Amino acid sequence: MIRANRKAIQIEYAIRDVVVAAQELERRGEKVLKLNIGDPCQYGFQPPKEATDGVVEALRRGLNGYAPSQGIPEVLEAVERYERWRGSEVPKENLLITAGVTEAIQFTYFSLLGEGDEILLPDPTYPPYITYAKMLGAKPVLYRCREEEGWSPSEEDIRRKITPRTRAIALINPNNPTGALYDERTVKLIGDIAAEHSLPVISDEIYCEITFTGVPAPSTAALLKDVPVIVYNGMSKIFLAPGWRIGYLGLSDPEGVMVEIWDGIMRQARARLSPSSIAQWGFMRALEGDRGYLRDFLRKLKARRDIYVKHFSEMEEFDLSVPEGAFYIFPKIGRRSPWKDDREFVLSLLREEKVLTVHGSGFSPEGGAWHFRAVTLPPEDVIEESMIRLERFMRRHENE
Ligand SMILES: Cc1ncc(COP(=O)(O)O)c(C=O)c1O
């Protein structure tokens, strides 16, 4: 047998791994209620018209060649304006269009993390932040977020976990999977710790406008003026087109200490040629367009979240920290018996009730254990039906 790189065959992606079990059921003709995937398009949402028109326009104009590696200049300018609207000054020279935030994470990591280096991540976190660090031989170090306080990060734990090998502190605001929204004070606190240790902050703002407070999540680069900030954002969530694979990376570097890191990022960008030119054009039109559609989207998400909140408040086996952003809920499974762990809980729920969620330990073995994630994207009747099935499932196993 030709052996694969050990690092490659150890890769896991919980969100997609559970789908295999669901597909097996579907092959047998079962109908599965899917609460597992953070893709608005799977639940009937579509990108704004301007965005789609932008792609059509790009095709008509014959934008079929490679784009510049950094991004199409007009698109970079639109992102610069968007960041300014967010309150931060990230000049277009410091912006890079990527094939989604995922590619931005890969470029950043490869430039920043060597073998044995450490990166501080929220616990729980979006899994690729862990996976890509491991692929590079670096160590993902998870800092505690306190569920009882809306999953807010523990200052003490961040401080305790900084070592001479720490290369950056990352935050995801709002967070996947918890839906936690960090306020300005929390972001500044992370910035203060980073400044004390001369560390850059990585800020994933892909859900920034998906909040239930009436205002977007704060821009980290706008708030932190004495540390470098790498911001990620893109088309996938706010603009409802994750399949276009368009995102961006922006660097705010007030003291010019990130020149080499940026060079490392840009070298990778050149080596991969460019992201899709037509999708970039659609992204530009989306950025320029009216985001009125978000009002309707947020109204629906909030109503759907509230259905979950109501059901979970009635089931004493669960604790739910009410999410203030993104489109997830991350309840804690209080009664553990008869399941071995949260993965077995999720797989049993799938097998017995045909409701597909994602096990929390897939987002982190510690903070995610004995939790599961469900999305707030499905129509209300699907959520209602799923909750009825979950209640029935819990009753069935009550005395085991
Ligand atoms: C926090 C977070 N960052 C990044 C991504 C992926 O973004 P993209 O589709 O732009 O690669 C996701 C997708 O769920 C996410 O939850």
Side-chain angles (χ1 to χ4, degrees):
M1 185 168 74
I2 298 172
R3 303 302 296 270
N5 181 342
R6 296 297 91 186
K7 285 181 184 149
I9 57 169
Q10 278 158 15
I11 294 172
E12 280 176 29
Y13 189 52
I15 301 170
R16 295 212 169 200
D17 290 351
V18 284
V19 173
V20 179
Q23 281 167 341
E24 187 54 45
L25 287 172
E26 282 176 330
R27 261 194 297 278
R28 284 193 250 132
E30 302 279 7
K31 189 175 172 326
V32 174
L33 300 182
K34 293 187 184 130
L35 311 180
N36 62 314
I37 191 122
D39 175 355
C41 302
Q42 306 258 346
Y43 302 95
F45 296 101
Q46 286 296 323
K49 185 174 177 309
E50 293 94 324
T52 316
D53 287 349
V55 173
V56 174
E57 180 196 341
L59 285 168
R60 293 235 159 85
R61 284 178 49 169
L63 284 187
N64 297 308
Y66 290 121
S69 293
Q70 189 167 3
I72 298 173
E74 291 93 324
V75 182
L76 292 167
E77 278 161 23
V79 174
E80 186 183 39
R81 281 194 296 276
Y82 180 72
E83 278 297 318
R84 196 169 302 132
W85 173 79
R86 298 265 298 130
S88 71
E89 284 299 328
V90 182
K92 59 177 184 290
E93 297 73 35
N94 287 11
L95 288 167
L96 171 67
I97 308 297
T98 55
V101 167
T102 306
E103 191 181 56
I105 300 170
Q106 290 168 342
F107 286 177
T108 311
Y109 271 25
F110 194 60
S111 194
L112 193 64
L113 300 177
E115 192 88 28
D117 282 341
E118 296 172 8
I119 177 148
L120 274 165
L121 303 167
D123 186 5
T125 192
Y126 178 56
Y129 282 98
I130 297 179
T131 309
Y132 294 137
K134 288 186 181 164
M135 279 164 67
L136 292 167
K139 188 171 161 204
V141 178
L142 299 171
Y143 62 81
R144 199 168 101 76
C145 296
R146 292 158 304 190
E147 182 167 14
E148 59 288 0
E149 287 168 45
W151 293 103
S152 72
S154 154
E155 174 181 359
E156 194 196 332
D157 203 48
I158 298 179
R159 288 189 186 283
R160 201 163 56 78
K161 287 181 173 158
I162 292 178
T163 75
R165 296 305 301 264
T166 308
R167 300 281 284 150
I169 308 178
L171 60 106
I172 303 171
N173 196 18
N175 179 278
N176 174 10
T178 62
L181 176 64
Y182 296 179
D183 59 12
E184 292 194 359
R185 205 188 60 82
T186 307
V187 175
K188 282 187 182 151
L189 179 68
I190 292 176
D192 288 345
I193 304 172
E196 281 167 37
H197 296 271
S198 303
L199 294 170
V201 172
I202 294 175
S203 184
D204 185 331
E205 300 176 13
I206 188 93
Y207 298 101
C208 69
E209 291 190 62
I210 304 176
T211 67
F212 308 120
T213 52
V215 281
S219 152
T220 302
L223 291 175
L224 308 187
K225 293 295 179 202
D226 50 1
V227 283
V229 175
I230 294 179
V231 55
Y232 303 144
N233 208 332
M235 191 73 208
S236 292
K237 311 296 177 176
I238 308 167
F239 299 105
L240 307 169
W244 290 11
R245 309 310 303 127
I246 287 293
Y248 68 85
L249 179 163
L251 171 68
S252 159
D253 185 17
E255 293 178 358
V257 295
M258 296 285 278
V259 176
E260 197 173 294
I261 300 294
W262 182 253
D263 186 38
I265 290 172
M266 291 305 290
R267 284 171 188 272
Q268 295 174 74
R270 291 196 289 274
R272 68 73 162 105
L273 309 185
S274 74
S276 157
S277 51
I278 54 175
Q280 283 190 64
W281 205 257
F283 181 43
M284 179 189 78
R285 292 290 182 230
L287 286 166
E288 288 170 343
D290 170 39
R291 283 198 298 293
Y293 68 91
L294 266 181
R295 271 194 298 278
D296 179 55
F297 182 53
L298 290 177
R299 193 178 44 73
K300 288 191 171 126
L301 285 184
K302 188 163 182 294
R304 294 169 191 194
R305 178 202 69 173
D306 290 343
I307 297 175
Y308 281 121
V309 172
K310 177 177 144 299
H311 282 275
F312 281 107
S313 68
E314 289 163 359
M315 284 185 280
E316 57 188 28
E317 298 95 336
F318 298 99
D319 275 317
L320 177 65
S321 167
V322 178
E324 292 209 88
F327 32 63
Y328 308 103
I329 55 149
F330 200 62
K332 179 155 130 195
I333 309 162
R335 178 158 59 71
R336 300 184 172 190
S337 169
W339 307 282
K340 183 169 92 238
D341 53 25
D342 51 286
R343 188 164 187 277
E344 196 184 87
F345 175 91
V346 160
L347 288 173
S348 303
L349 179 64
L350 172 66
R351 270 194 303 269
E352 292 177 33
E353 293 292 347
K354 319 292 177 286
V355 175
L356 178 60
T357 58
V358 186
H359 48 293
S361 52
F363 296 87
S364 118
E366 221 176 283
W370 287 105
H371 288 75
F372 68 91
R373 190 193 77 169
V375 296
T376 59
L377 294 162
E380 295 188 9
D381 58 336
V382 173
I383 297 177
E384 284 284 4
E385 174 60 26
S386 305
M387 289 295 96
I388 290 169
R389 294 186 190 189
L390 176 65
E391 280 159 5
R392 191 166 63 202
F393 176 73
M394 295 310 283
R395 295 291 83 79
R396 183 178 313 128
H397 294 287
E398 209 155 35
N399 299 316
E400 292 172 18

